[in-house]
């Protein structure tokens, strides 16, 4: 096997090692693959019940509730997103059980999707980027005295979508994890590359700027000791940099501090629309109009969330566009159509849940929040990827089961307590800003008990501020920084095993397919522009 | 419309790319059959140079994004000064005193006029977070000069 000629340090990598140990890998992956394909329902149910036994333990219930509450709160409060919150809370999880930590952090992510709609509907300010599109019809509904049904359908739709997505995840994830065991270094290289390109492609910013951020992230990921040769790279004699930049420190700077700096620029204006929250439950007519958009949003969100780079934001926009297209009354969209609230809110919740699939099965974080959960798992010595299901089944199934419970908790938290969440909006931003800054300082310091890391965080905060101002998206940078070492190792190992021949990447069918998709995504904007030019020339002629 | 923001941003990225390529060459790039420590940074640096050049020219021909709109930069700048000062003194004065002063200053920057609110909030935040993170969650925060009080 040529790949086994790789240096020892490369062979020590657990998931890359899978390629070397072909016989063992083949047996294990075949067994897992066929058992999952044969639809062993008993196994699925046993695993799920095992997951529930973990998720229903008193402490895990508490952590799921804490995650759901914090998630809803940060979703409600504009100016602090889930990536920053998860990064801020990482130090709290250091001494926790890995499953409990992941359950809490996951709760924050999908909880934020529930809470984000509140500010969109009542203030016309999205608490979350994924709730931007909810403003269009949600705020109009509130103006028409229908804030209650808008908030109600948003919470109920999110619950239905979240539950469908968790169910889909429990069915799809094990099969995908088994399939991923077939992946060797070339496949991993292509997958990571595709993930990074998709993250750029699906972001709302300029593709070229996103790619530049990926390149910068990859370079920042090389700082420290080279894992293959042991050489020090770009440390400039600073011993603190031998371990490289810590992801937590960088994320706190890019998402936490920069967010505060941006918010400090503008004076705080929060005009809460005063309305009655009576009649939160949608009427029969509302239900007749909403059941199909909720289901369509759920399935769309689920599939978009599974894509590396896909996620809650893009799914909400896509589902809104789809609903507008299939609606018999598209003219009502933007004027208070309840479908315009139901579909995107369902989609963003479904996507936030299904975006855990690439993380738990392939070890590829698809967005910035999931990247932070990836870091949390790494801190606990757990490498997300295809072997996670076999090595840590309790964590895998425990997290999935906790999502079922978390969705019920969120429904219970959001509908009856809507008045409380609205009151939270009255907390002045300066208190929130000081708390964020202080927690960032603690978080950065706690990584290595070093003030150097606090300084690094401040530097990345300034960088994040300037990046946002210039339209350079920070999410691809952090994703590239995290995935860079995996990309580098798989590239080097692939090249060593093929004797330096890059055709290996297109000879392997899975790798070739992944690269084709990546190339297609890269060429799409150019093709679009060419087509547009051709159409314009044609019409002018 | 030319975009100076893109020009400045791409210039910095270009310089970083040049620096990365230079550093990679010093580290030794090697070949695809025998990649050396500089191999991957070389590719990353090269990509950054190419992409920053495209951003620069897109900005020059007016295809870049809209001009950067800075709001009131005074408050963000003051916050940065406070944070840099906190970094400089954190080890010596300790977490509680450092964050007490920093919180007060940040609240002042954020237009909190009442001294009572300012002092009480700062005190609650610094002591509350110290108790939560250091005493309850076991994260070692710098004690600084308070070590003399036996804390």
């Amino acid at each position: 096997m040529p790949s086994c000629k790789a240096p020892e340090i490369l062979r020590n990598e657990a998931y890359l090692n899978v390629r070397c140990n072909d016989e063992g890998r083949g047996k294990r992956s075949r067994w897992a693959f066929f058992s999952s394909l044969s639809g062993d329902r008993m196994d699925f149910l046993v695993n799920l019940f095992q997951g529930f036994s973990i998720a229903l333990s008193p402490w895990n219930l508490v952590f799921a509730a804490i995650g759901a509450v914090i998630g809803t709160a940060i979703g409600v409060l504009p100016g602090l997103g889930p990536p920053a919150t998860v990064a801020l809370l990482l130090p709290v999880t250091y001494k926790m059980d890995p499953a409990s930590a992941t359950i809490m952090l996951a709760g924050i992510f999908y909880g934020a999707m529930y809470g984000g709609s509140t500010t969109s509907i009542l203030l016309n300010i999205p608490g979350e980027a994924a709730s931007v599109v909810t403003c269009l019809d949600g705020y109009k509904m509130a103006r028409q005295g229908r804030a209650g049904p808008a908030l109600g359908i948003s919470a109920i739709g999110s619950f239905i979508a979240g539950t469908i997505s968790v169910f889909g995840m429990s069915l799809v994830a094990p099969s995908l994890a088994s399939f991923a065991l077939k992946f060797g270094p070339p496949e991993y290289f292509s997958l990571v590359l595709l993930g990074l390109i998709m993250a750029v492609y699906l972001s709302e910013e300029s593709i070229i700027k996103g790619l530049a951020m990926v390149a910068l992230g990859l370079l920042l990921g090389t700082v420290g000791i080279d894992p293959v040769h042991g050489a020090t790279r770009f440390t400039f004699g600073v011993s603190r940099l031998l371990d490289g930049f810590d992801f937590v420190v960088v994320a706190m700077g890019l998402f936490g501090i920069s967010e505060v700096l941006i918010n400090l620029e503008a004076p705080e204006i929060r005009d809460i629309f005063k309305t009655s929250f009576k009649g939160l439950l949608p009427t029969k007519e509302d239900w007749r109009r909403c059941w199909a958009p909720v289901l369509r949003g759920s399935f769309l969100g689920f599939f978009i969330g599974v894509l590396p780079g896909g996620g809650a934001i893009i799914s909400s926009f896509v589902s809104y566009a789809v609903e507008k297209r299939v609606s018999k009354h598209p003219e009502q969209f933007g004027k208070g159509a309840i479908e315009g609230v139901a579909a995107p809110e369902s989609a963003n919740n479904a996507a936030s849940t299904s975006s855990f699939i690439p993380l738990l099965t392939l070890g590829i974080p698809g967005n910035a929040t999931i990247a932070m959960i990836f870091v949390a798992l790494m801190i606990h010595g757990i490498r997300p990827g295809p072997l996670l299901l076999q090595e840590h089944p309790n964590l895998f199934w425990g997290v999935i089961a906790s999502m079922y419970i978390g969705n019920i908790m969120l429904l219970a938290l959001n509908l009856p307590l809507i008045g409380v969440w609205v009151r939270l909006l009255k907390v002045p931003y300066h208190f929130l800003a000081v708390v964020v800054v202080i927690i960032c300082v603690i978080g950065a310091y706690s990584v290595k008990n070093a003030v150097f890391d606090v300084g690094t965080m401040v530097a990345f905060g300034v960088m994040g501020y300037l990046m946002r101002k210039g339209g350079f998206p920070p999410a691809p940078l952090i994703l590239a920084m995290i995935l860079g070492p995996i990309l580098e190792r798989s590239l080097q190992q692939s090249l060593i095993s093929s004797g330096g021949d890059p055709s290996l990447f297109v000879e392997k069918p899975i790798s070739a397919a992944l690269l084709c998709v990546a190339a297609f995504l890269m060429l799409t904007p150019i093709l679009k522009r060419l087509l547009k030019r051709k159409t314009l020339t044609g019409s002018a002629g | 419309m030319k975009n100076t923001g893109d020009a400045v941003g791409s210039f910095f990225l270009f310089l970083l790319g040049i620096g990365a390529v230079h550093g990679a060459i010093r580290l030794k790039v090697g070949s695809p059959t025998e990649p050396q420590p500089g191999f991957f940074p070389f590719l990353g640096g090269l990509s950054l140079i190419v992409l920053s050049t495209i951003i620069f020219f897109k900005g020059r021909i007016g295809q870049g994004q809209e001009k950067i709109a800075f709001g009131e930069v005074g408050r963000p700048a003051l916050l940065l000064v406070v944070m840099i000062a906190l970094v400089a003194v954190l080890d010596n004065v300790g977490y509680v005193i450092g964050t007490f002063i920093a919180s007060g200053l940040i609240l002042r920057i954020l237009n909190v006029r009442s001294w009572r609110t300012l002092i009480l909030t700062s005190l609650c935040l610094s002591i509350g977070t110290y108790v939560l993170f250091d005493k309850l969650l076991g994260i070692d925060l710098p004690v600084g000069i308070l070590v003399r009080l036996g804390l």
Side-chain angles (χ1 to χ4, degrees), chain A residues 208-209 211-212 219 229 232-233 261 264-265 430-431 434 438 442 445-446 449 451 462 465 469 471 488 495 499-500, chain B residues 6 27 32-33 35 37 40-41 48 55 65 68-72 75 80 87 91 95 103 110 121 125 139-140 142:
Chain A
I208 295 292
K209 286 182 177 177
L211 287 173
L219 283 174
H229 302 89
T232 53
R233 299 190 291 196
L261 291 172
L264 284 188
E265 270 191 5
H430 50 252
F431 288 117
V434 179
I438 287 183
I442 296 172
Y445 184 85
S446 66
N449 285 352
V451 176
V462 179
Y465 171 73
K469 285 283 156 193
E488 182 178 6
L495 288 175
Chain B
D6 277 3
L27 280 163
T33 38
F40 195 71
L48 202 55
I55 295 168
Q65 283 183 301
I68 301 170
F70 281 97
E72 189 201 321
R75 294 201 300 178
L80 275 178
V87 171
D91 260 341
Y95 173 81
S103 308
L110 289 162
T121 311
L125 275 173
I139 294 168
D140 280 331

Side-chain angles (χ1 to χ4, degrees), chain A residues 180-199:
Chain A
L181 285 170
K182 288 184 163 193
F183 287 17
E187 286 84 1
Y188 255 99
F189 172 79
S190 306
L191 181 70
V192 171
L193 199 66
L194 173 64
L196 290 173
I197 286 172
M198 280 191 107

Side-chain angles (χ1 to χ4, degrees), chain B:
Chain B
M1 191 173 63
K2 287 174 188 175
N3 189 330
T4 43
D6 277 3
V8 175
S10 59
F11 177 69
F12 274 108
L13 290 175
F14 185 80
L15 286 184
L16 279 171
I18 294 280
V21 168
H22 175 71
I25 291 168
R26 284 184 64 183
L27 280 163
K28 283 187 186 171
V29 175
S31 65
T33 38
E34 272 183 65
Q36 293 301 308
F39 185 75
F40 195 71
F42 182 77
L43 295 180
L46 219 54
S47 313
L48 202 55
I49 291 170
V50 172
L51 291 163
S52 59
T53 309
I54 296 172
I55 295 168
F56 179 80
F57 282 109
K58 278 186 92 174
R60 294 292 294 173
I61 58 168
Q63 278 189 14
Q65 283 183 301
E66 288 169 22
K67 274 192 169 182
I68 301 170
F70 281 97
E72 189 201 321
V73 288
R75 294 201 300 178
L78 281 172
L79 176 71
L80 275 178
V81 171
V82 172
M83 290 204 70
I84 291 166
L86 178 65
V87 171
V89 300
L90 193 63
D91 260 341
N92 294 321
V93 301
Y95 173 81
V96 176
I97 295 176
T99 50
F100 170 72
I101 298 168
S103 308
L105 290 170
I106 295 169
L107 286 169
R108 193 82 190 136
I109 293 166
L110 289 162
N111 286 336
V112 175
R113 298 271 174 231
S114 156
W115 283 103
R116 214 174 87 177
T117 314
L118 204 138
I119 292 169
L120 275 177
T121 311
S122 307
L123 209 60
C124 288
L125 275 173
S126 57
I127 295 176
T129 49
Y130 181 78
V131 171
L132 175 69
F133 286 95
D134 190 292
K135 300 294 173 196
L136 298 177
L137 293 169
I139 294 168
D140 280 331
L141 293 170
V143 183
I145 50 174
L146 289 181
V147 77
R148 290 176 199 159
L149 299 175
L151 281 172

Side-chain angles (χ1 to χ4, degrees), chain A residues 8-322:
Chain A
E8 183 61 33
I9 194 154
L10 285 179
R11 294 203 299 267
N12 286 341
E13 286 301 320
Y15 72 92
L16 292 180
N17 190 27
V18 163
R19 194 74 200 146
C20 298
N21 189 358
D22 228 8
E23 198 183 341
R25 175 191 61 81
K27 276 179 189 168
R28 186 168 46 191
S29 68
R30 269 193 295 275
W31 178 84
F33 190 55
F34 286 118
S35 78
S36 61
L37 280 186
S38 66
D40 194 342
R41 284 180 201 163
M42 276 309 288
D43 261 9
F44 166 73
L45 286 175
V46 167
N47 287 328
L48 198 58
F49 277 118
Q50 174 67 14
F52 272 108
S53 73
I54 292 153
L56 284 169
S57 74
W59 275 113
N60 284 340
L61 279 175
V62 170
F63 288 126
I66 292 172
V69 171
I70 295 175
T72 308
I74 60 128
V76 168
L77 291 167
L80 190 64
T85 312
V86 173
L88 293 179
L89 288 175
L90 280 182
V92 177
T93 67
Y94 289 167
K95 293 198 173 172
M96 282 165 67
D97 171 70
S100 306
T102 317
I103 285 170
M104 189 181 83
L105 298 177
I108 292 172
F109 187 29
Y110 55 76
M113 298 303 130
Y114 274 76
S117 57
T118 308
T119 44
S120 297
I121 292 165
L122 298 176
L123 277 87
N124 204 24
I125 297 171
E128 260 318 298
S131 299
V132 168
V133 79
T134 310
C135 291
L136 299 175
D137 287 282
Y139 188 64
K140 291 276 161 53
M141 281 182 76
R143 286 269 165 201
Q144 292 159 8
R146 303 196 68 226
L151 291 163
I153 199 68
S154 146
I156 297 168
S158 297
F159 171 74
I160 296 170
T163 311
I164 289 175
S165 192
V166 175
F167 185 69
M169 185 176 166
S170 23
L171 288 177
V172 171
S175 306
L176 193 60
S178 305
F179 179 65
L181 285 170
K182 288 184 163 193
F183 287 17
E187 286 84 1
Y188 255 99
F189 172 79
S190 306
L191 181 70
V192 171
L193 199 66
L194 173 64
L196 290 173
I197 286 172
M198 280 191 107
V200 170
Y201 184 79
L202 295 176
S203 75
E204 297 144 69
E205 315 276 352
S206 145
I207 289 180
I208 295 292
K209 286 182 177 177
L211 287 173
M213 288 302 99
V214 166
L216 184 59
L218 293 176
L219 283 174
L220 288 171
T222 62
V223 173
I225 296 176
D226 168 23
V228 181
H229 302 89
T232 53
R233 299 190 291 196
F234 306 113
T235 57
F236 306 105
V238 181
S239 59
R240 293 265 181 209
L241 285 178
L242 286 175
D243 291 337
F245 289 113
D246 194 276
F247 303 129
V248 181
V249 173
V250 176
M252 281 180 174
L254 287 181
F255 296 108
I257 297 295
S258 75
E259 191 85 53
V260 174
L261 291 172
I262 292 268
N263 285 316
L264 284 188
E265 270 191 5
E268 185 185 14
I269 302 165
R270 281 187 202 169
D271 180 21
I272 302 171
F273 185 68
K274 283 178 187 158
T275 185
S276 159
F277 301 115
K278 282 177 188 167
L280 281 168
L281 289 178
T283 61
K284 261 188 186 173
E285 171 61 13
D286 289 336
W287 272 117
R288 192 190 60 74
R289 289 174 65 172
C290 285
W291 69 268
V294 166
L295 288 179
R296 271 193 293 266
S298 305
F299 286 105
L300 257 175
F302 177 79
F303 287 110
I304 293 172
V306 172
L307 300 173
I313 303 169
I314 193 83
S315 69
S316 62
F317 279 96
V318 171
S319 77
Y320 187 84
V322 167

Side-chain angles (χ1 to χ4, degrees), chain A residues 456-471:
Chain A
T456 309
M457 177 197 67
V458 176
F460 274 101
V462 179
M463 187 174 147
Y465 171 73
L466 294 173
M467 276 165 58
R468 283 169 193 231
K469 285 283 156 193

